[in-house]
Amino acid sequence: MGIVYYANYLVWMEVGRVEYCRAAGIRYRDMEAEDGILLAVVEANCRYASPARYDEESRGSNWIAEANPRMIRFGYQMTEAASGRRLATGETKHIFCGRDRKPRKLPEKYRAAFGMGR
């Protein structure tokens, strides 16, 4: 059909989220290794506006839509690079967990990078 598989949008959202965190000075790997903090996805949604086609260049933007010491919600928008045509929008909600996979508050040292004031 020449159309990008629908689940790829979720992968693009994950890549965008990881890059967002890296740009904010946070690496998932370090949060897990140093502080035992895991970012568990508890909700994900994607609203498809227009199909992405194979070999089209696309762009993504993402932002923190909501955050508190127990959870964070990221927003996403994907567009076709040449025209700016909106392809999809989405959100993912995550809770902060410890190594035991139980909910836990995000350590203070990460809060500013995730947009949380004191």
Side-chain angles (χ1 to χ4, degrees), residues 6-19:
Y6 74 94
N8 286 341
Y9 292 85
L10 294 173
V11 174
W12 295 343
M13 291 179 347
E14 180 179 7
V15 169
R17 183 174 63 252
V18 169
E19 290 303 318

Side-chain angles (χ1 to χ4, degrees), residues 91-109:
E91 281 192 345
T92 56
K93 180 181 176 181
H94 309 257
I95 58 170
F96 301 107
C97 295
R99 286 188 180 102
D100 60 0
R101 309 283 194 280
K102 292 185 180 176
R104 148 172 195 199
K105 285 187 177 180
L106 182 67
E108 188 70 41
K109 72 181 191 180

Side-chain angles (χ1 to χ4, degrees), residues 37-50:
I37 297 295
L38 309 174
L39 202 53
V41 176
V42 294
E43 291 179 17
N45 69 63
C46 187
R47 181 162 186 89
Y48 304 97
S50 181

Side-chain angles (χ1 to χ4, degrees), residues 2-78:
I3 296 174
V4 173
Y5 180 60
Y6 74 94
N8 286 341
Y9 292 85
L10 294 173
V11 174
W12 295 343
M13 291 179 347
E14 180 179 7
V15 169
R17 183 174 63 252
V18 169
E19 290 303 318
Y20 182 96
C21 290
R22 186 173 289 134
I26 299 169
R27 291 180 3 165
Y28 279 172
R29 175 175 54 195
D30 294 343
M31 271 187 10
E32 289 180 7
E34 295 172 14
D35 297 292
I37 297 295
L38 309 174
L39 202 53
V41 176
V42 294
E43 291 179 17
N45 69 63
C46 187
R47 181 162 186 89
Y48 304 97
S50 181
R53 306 206 182 274
Y54 286 114
D55 211 24
E56 267 184 343
E57 184 179 346
S58 62
R59 294 205 172 117
S61 59
N62 46 292
W63 58 92
I64 295 173
E66 182 182 0
N68 66 54
R70 296 212 177 261
M71 76 87 185
I72 188 163
R73 184 183 310 271
F74 287 92
Y76 309 89
Q77 179 168 286
M78 283 115 342

